[in-house]
Amino acid sequence: MVGSELEHYDEDEFRKLFPECVRYLQQFSISLMNRKVNAGVKWFEYGRTQGIKHVFEDKLVFSLVITNRINFYEADARSIPYAGAYIRIKPNSSMTLKNAKEILQTEKFLAYVKSKGTPTTTTSYRLGVKDIENYKF
């Protein structure tokens, strides 16, 4: 990382610095080339950059399938979420993760989940990331 921006290896540099990694990954090259990735991600890079972009920030990680209440865990600034979604606090915000946790645990938020979510069972709802972003914190 350079500041808050990801720094990418070009393929030649990666091959030179990490030849054993390249040999290992080449076993999966067809799968790696055909997977869903963020725009501009090279075949040998981690496919989803969102979790890496905010790796040095504390965050609340949770599943987008919610049953009766939202289950989340606090991930510290050294953690990269690999599934679900997360909330982080934007720079210069008056909000804190503690505030976010309190809001997520309210009946009002659960009612929002039920109104916006897609039912997956009689008691579970799946939200999209945009639904979370659109909630008025």
Side-chain angles (χ1 to χ4, degrees), residues 94-121:
S94 61
M95 183 70 104
T96 66
L97 285 180
K98 182 180 179 194
N99 299 135
K101 284 192 297 190
E102 290 167 355
I103 291 167
L104 293 173
Q105 294 172 323
T106 64
E107 289 298 321
K108 184 178 176 185
F109 184 76
L110 187 57
Y112 176 79
V113 168
K114 290 177 180 178
S115 72
K116 295 292 183 181
T118 302
T120 59
T121 67

Side-chain angles (χ1 to χ4, degrees), residues 11-120:
E11 189 167 345
D12 291 336
E13 181 183 24
F14 186 76
R15 286 179 182 282
K16 182 180 174 185
L17 292 172
F18 308 105
E20 294 300 317
C21 184
V22 170
R23 266 192 285 285
Y24 175 77
L25 290 174
Q26 283 175 332
Q27 299 173 70
F28 311 101
S29 62
I30 292 171
S31 296
L32 290 169
M33 297 286 233
N34 293 322
R35 66 196 163 126
K36 282 185 166 181
V37 296
N38 290 108
V41 170
K42 298 176 184 95
W43 72 271
F44 56 87
E45 291 181 306
Y46 190 77
R48 303 291 187 179
T49 58
Q50 180 184 17
I52 294 173
K53 284 181 182 177
H54 303 123
V55 70
F56 297 117
E57 300 174 36
D58 293 335
K59 48 208 140 304
L60 297 177
V61 181
F62 54 94
S63 171
L64 289 170
V65 176
I66 299 167
T67 304
N68 299 324
R69 65 184 181 88
I70 189 164
N71 294 312
F72 55 83
Y73 69 92
E74 294 180 51
D76 66 21
R78 298 169 296 165
S79 301
I80 300 173
Y82 60 87
Y86 64 87
I87 292 176
R88 67 183 183 91
I89 302 303
K90 292 181 179 180
N92 303 319
S93 173
S94 61
M95 183 70 104
T96 66
L97 285 180
K98 182 180 179 194
N99 299 135
K101 284 192 297 190
E102 290 167 355
I103 291 167
L104 293 173
Q105 294 172 323
T106 64
E107 289 298 321
K108 184 178 176 185
F109 184 76
L110 187 57
Y112 176 79
V113 168
K114 290 177 180 178
S115 72
K116 295 292 183 181
T118 302
T120 59

Side-chain angles (χ1 to χ4, degrees), residues 113-133:
V113 168
K114 290 177 180 178
S115 72
K116 295 292 183 181
T118 302
T120 59
T121 67
T122 57
T123 58
S124 297
Y125 300 85
R126 181 179 32 255
L127 281 184
V129 171
K130 289 290 181 200
D131 294 321
I132 301 290
E133 289 174 349

